[in-house]
Structures are given as C-alpha cells and as structure tokens.
Amino acid sequence: MPPLPRPDASRSYRPLRRAMLVAMVAVLGGCGFQPLYGTPGGSTEAGGTIPDQLRQIYVASIPERYGQELRLFLQQNLAGAEQEDPTGYTLRVNSYVMNEAIDIHSDNTTGRTRATAHAHWLLYTVAPTPMLVTQGDTQVMDGENETFEQYFAQNLNQAALARRVAQAIADRITQQLAIWFKTRATPAQRTVMPQATYIDPNVMPNANNGIQRQSVGADGLPGMAIGRSSPDPSGTAGDEPGNGTVNNQ
C-alpha cells in the first residue's frame, strides 16, 4: 500500500497566519496606529488627505544631472498615481554626494567607492511673498565596486549608483514631508559642527605666504588620506572642496 501523502504544512498554517494578521491590525488600530499616506474612515484632514497635500508641492529645479534625477523622483513620489496640482507649495532641495575611496590597493587604486548623500530641503508657500513653513535634512549611504579595466561597465556603475542615491534621497524627503503634513512636527535637521583642519605638506605656500590646509570629514579623518572627493561642501569658489588657507604673517 503506497504511503499517504503528507499534508502541506504551509497550506495548513495559512488560515492561522491570516487570523494573526487580522488580529495584529486590530490591535494596532486600537493603539492609535494610522496609515501615513491615507485617512482611515473616509475623514479628511485640513487641506485634504496626505496624498492630496503632497500633490500640491512644486519641486524647484535642482542643478546637474544628479539633481535632475532627484527632482524627477520627487515629482513621481509626490504626484503618486493621480494628476499633480503643484499650486500650494514650492520645495527647494540642496543636495550633494560625497564619494570616498575604500579598499585601497598597493598601486593606489581602489576596489570600492562609498557614496554618502546629504540633502537639505525647504518648503515654501506659493504666494506673492513666499513663507517658509518647514525644513529638514536627510542622508543616505550606498556604494559601488570599481572596475578600472572595464571603462564602459564602470560608467554604468557610476550612473546606476547616482540614480540609486537620488531615488533613496527622494524617498526620504517624501516621507518627511508626509509626516509633517500629518503631525506638523518639525523634521530632523542636521547640526553642522565646526571641523578641524590640518596642514597639507604636499603643497607649497602661496605668494602671500599662506599654507594650504585640508578639512577633515564628519568622521574626523583627513579627506585626502582616504580619497574623499568632497570632505567639506562649503568650500569657496575657486578652491578645491574643503580646502582653506592659513597665513603665516
């Protein structure tokens, strides 16, 4: 007599898992849990639901290719599946990506690049005299493997990395905006602390007897020592990012 087929364990547990899921949703509802991008029970918030208010945001232009992709992702996130109506607010975003060379080899090449993106955004009303209503900061981290012997593949890796970072930043900003519309709580803002500088021994003093200095990053490490492309985005025009000059008079 052939053995009887054993019941599928996954199928036998499906009703139990479905019941547990329903119970969890009920418990969360009793604790005050509400979906972020919707208004349960058909009620409306002031100015409409969260998606309605997000669709009223116009995203101002962001320079360079990375900024263009960031703006496109923001427009997609804010509009959702409906037609956008950017007549209520203007979103201005200042974002940059800091690349760091890690896995440095003996021939001074690197096997991986780590990208850290920072963004500061401001939300203004659309009016003859625009008013700042809220602002916030966010950051994400990503990376890519370097393939110097395959230039075309390397270009694709860099483009894909920039696109992933732009999409991640757009998702974070969209979430912060939705939380603000829901709670009116002030979003998290980045506190920039003064960073130390060190003398660059490889640069000659300039005509004014000034010695070039390099800034350290947020981790306290010199930018040039680890291949950081932009240790300090506040560098002045005409200087390398993060460079400074100290005069010995």
Side-chain angles (χ1 to χ4, degrees), residues 115-144:
T116 306
H118 301 270
H120 178 71
W121 57 266
L122 304 98
L123 187 67
Y124 292 89
T125 58
V126 175
T129 304
M131 181 180 64
L132 177 65
V133 292
T134 187
Q135 59 181 315
D137 291 89
T138 187
Q139 70 177 36
V140 298
M141 182 179 293
D142 205 325
E144 61 162 345

Side-chain angles (χ1 to χ4, degrees), residues 217-238:
D219 52 8
L221 296 176
M224 296 299 293
I226 60 174
R228 182 180 288 120
S229 64
S230 180
D232 181 7
S234 62
T236 57

Side-chain angles (χ1 to χ4, degrees), residues 74-178:
L74 283 169
Q75 289 175 320
Q76 294 174 4
N77 290 350
L78 297 175
E82 302 294 335
Q83 181 65 34
E84 59 182 354
D85 183 27
T87 58
Y89 303 91
T90 299
L91 177 66
R92 301 188 181 278
V93 181
N94 180 21
S95 180
Y96 68 93
V97 181
M98 181 178 66
N99 295 319
E100 298 180 59
I102 58 179
D103 183 27
I104 300 177
H105 305 159
S106 58
D107 60 353
N108 207 31
T109 60
T110 175
R112 185 165 177 82
T113 294
R114 180 170 58 195
T116 306
H118 301 270
H120 178 71
W121 57 266
L122 304 98
L123 187 67
Y124 292 89
T125 58
V126 175
T129 304
M131 181 180 64
L132 177 65
V133 292
T134 187
Q135 59 181 315
D137 291 89
T138 187
Q139 70 177 36
V140 298
M141 182 179 293
D142 205 325
E144 61 162 345
N145 294 329
E146 302 292 345
T147 53
F148 292 104
E149 66 279 2
Q150 300 180 19
Y151 299 109
F152 183 71
Q154 179 63 24
N155 290 336
L156 291 179
N157 290 342
Q158 293 174 349
L161 173 62
R163 187 175 180 85
R164 290 197 309 269
V165 168
Q167 185 172 16
I169 285 288
D171 292 343
R172 295 285 186 89
I173 294 177
T174 304
Q175 186 181 57
Q176 289 180 332
L177 287 168

